[in-house]
Amino acid sequence: MTLLGKKIVLGITGSIAAYKAAYLCRALIKKGAEVQVVITPAGKEFITPVTLSALTRKPVVSDFFTANDGTWHSHVDLGLWADAMLIAPATAATVGKMANGIADNMLITTYLSMKAPVFIAPAMDLDMYAHPSTQANLDKLKAYGNRIIEPATGFLASALEGKGRMEEPDRIVEQMEAFFENQNQWAKKKILITAGPTYEKLDPVRYISNYSSGKMGFALAEVCAERGADVTLISGPVQLKTHHPRIHRIDVESAAEMHKAVSVYFPETDAAILCAAVADYRPASFSESKLKRKDNETMVLDLVANPDIAAGLGKMKKENQVLCGFALETENEFSNAEGKLRKKNLDFIVLNSLRDQGAGFQSDTNKISIIAADGEKADFPMKSKKEVAADIVDFLFHHFVSSRA
Ligand code: CTP
């Protein structure tokens, strides 16, 4: 009953598979969902708004306004109203417009305003589907956090056979139910995430830090919040914004401040993901005035160790709390990561290697392996940080949370 009461915007585009949208509407409504159809002009050539409004008991939205009385149809309101948007069937043209923000119809403007998760069920001829431009657009949409409902392989309207048929309505409904079921589980969870670098002040104008951008931790926060969790994101200084209202962001500067904030929130946390690149050392003393250049050829800085936040939490951790750390390595990657996993009493560790191009600090992509304390290992290909975040969160969910829920 996970679709009961869910508000779904169903986007329909100009594909022969649009005739299946009537069945899809009924299947969603039978599960208790409320459906609002938004159809493109080409979609109306394949299925009439009368059929769809009769099924949904709502006027079908297609234009920006009603011509005879000027009533404005707000795509922004639809974006706020929905619990999910499903575009089925999604043509190659619509996929391309979505990927590139070409907002020339009501469906695309609604998509661009959408606050809720978006599901896309492509439907097209096999060659159109396989074309590199379609695949690149789908990859882009995935990287933005949309969920692609893979088309099935079989008989196509072109009389050819191959991959491109829109997934059957019942299977689409099953995938949406599974998503909301997952979200219900997450709704009970409190997740703590650390992100970004720390700044360790030396004098009023200088600090010690590292190249961490915070992108991975922020992507994790967005994914956890989208799944329904309450997220506390404790971040060092970064140039990033948070978007989801379920993210409670706390900005800190130094490792000591991060440690203090983490200690306050950890006892109430179900899982902590420690993504921050915490400086291991800080200057032994802070100079109130700017340190001046001297005539010496060398300068020696005294540093003292910062607290190891992860190791501290590993000691505090209770039976039902999950602790996930990160390891960014340049050599002996697996043995170093496994060493950190044991030493800090983590449940699993996400390893990224600086030897992989496109992985690590600053980049928008990452390539990870996950090593769990129980011996399970998983390797993932290079992906956007949003997709990597989804893989980590899936691992967290399946490996630990579901068994304890
Ligand atoms: N970490 C932490 N507090 C620190 C140092 C690291 O919480 N003072 C956490 C990181 O957030 C990460 C994990 O520990 O989840 C591993 O961090 P990393 O810097 O790779 O390991 P270190 O223990 O600092 O070892 P080294 O820098 O020597 O590789």
Side-chain angles (χ1 to χ4, degrees), residues 274-276 278-280 307-310 325-329 340 344:
L274 306 173
C275 202
V278 185
D280 284 319
D308 186 330
I309 300 171
F326 270 70
L328 177 64
E329 303 294 339
K340 287 177 189 175
K344 301 183 191 226

Side-chain angles (χ1 to χ4, degrees), residues 194-196 255 258 273-281 305-313 324-329 336 340 343-344 346 348-350:
T194 65
M258 186 173 277
I273 309 178
L274 306 173
C275 202
V278 185
D280 284 319
Y281 293 90
N306 271 329
D308 186 330
I309 300 171
L313 298 187
C324 162
F326 270 70
L328 177 64
E329 303 294 339
N336 281 340
K340 287 177 189 175
K343 195 172 146 208
K344 301 183 191 226
L346 305 173
F348 66 93
I349 193 155
V350 179

Side-chain angles (χ1 to χ4, degrees), residues 33 60 69 97-99 102 133-134 145 157 185 262 273 277 281 339 344:
V60 166
D69 63 3
K97 286 182 192 179
M98 288 170 74
I102 301 170
S133 67
T134 308
Q185 303 273 6
V262 166
I273 309 178
Y281 293 90
K344 301 183 191 226

Side-chain angles (χ1 to χ4, degrees), residues 2-3 24 27-28 31 86 119 149 167-182:
T2 52
L3 288 176
L24 188 52
L28 290 167
K31 297 278 182 183
L86 164 64
F119 297 78
I149 299 177
E167 181 55 285
E168 289 307 319
D170 286 338
R171 300 287 88 72
I172 294 177
V173 171
E174 273 170 25
Q175 291 195 32
M176 294 192 70
E177 280 184 302
F179 169 82
F180 282 113
E181 174 63 37
N182 204 310

Side-chain angles (χ1 to χ4, degrees), residues 204-245:
V205 294
R206 301 183 184 94
Y207 58 81
I208 297 173
S209 190
N210 56 64
Y211 290 119
S212 172
S213 62
K215 286 178 187 169
M216 194 63 246
F218 275 59
L220 278 160
E222 295 292 337
V223 169
C224 288
E226 280 165 19
R227 302 266 170 116
D230 285 324
V231 179
T232 301
L233 173 64
I234 300 175
S235 176
V238 293
Q239 302 294 322
L240 298 173
K241 288 196 171 96
T242 43
H243 302 285
H244 204 288

Side-chain angles (χ1 to χ4, degrees), residues 84-98:
M85 181 175 191
L86 164 64
I87 298 142
T91 58
T94 289
V95 164
K97 286 182 192 179
M98 288 170 74

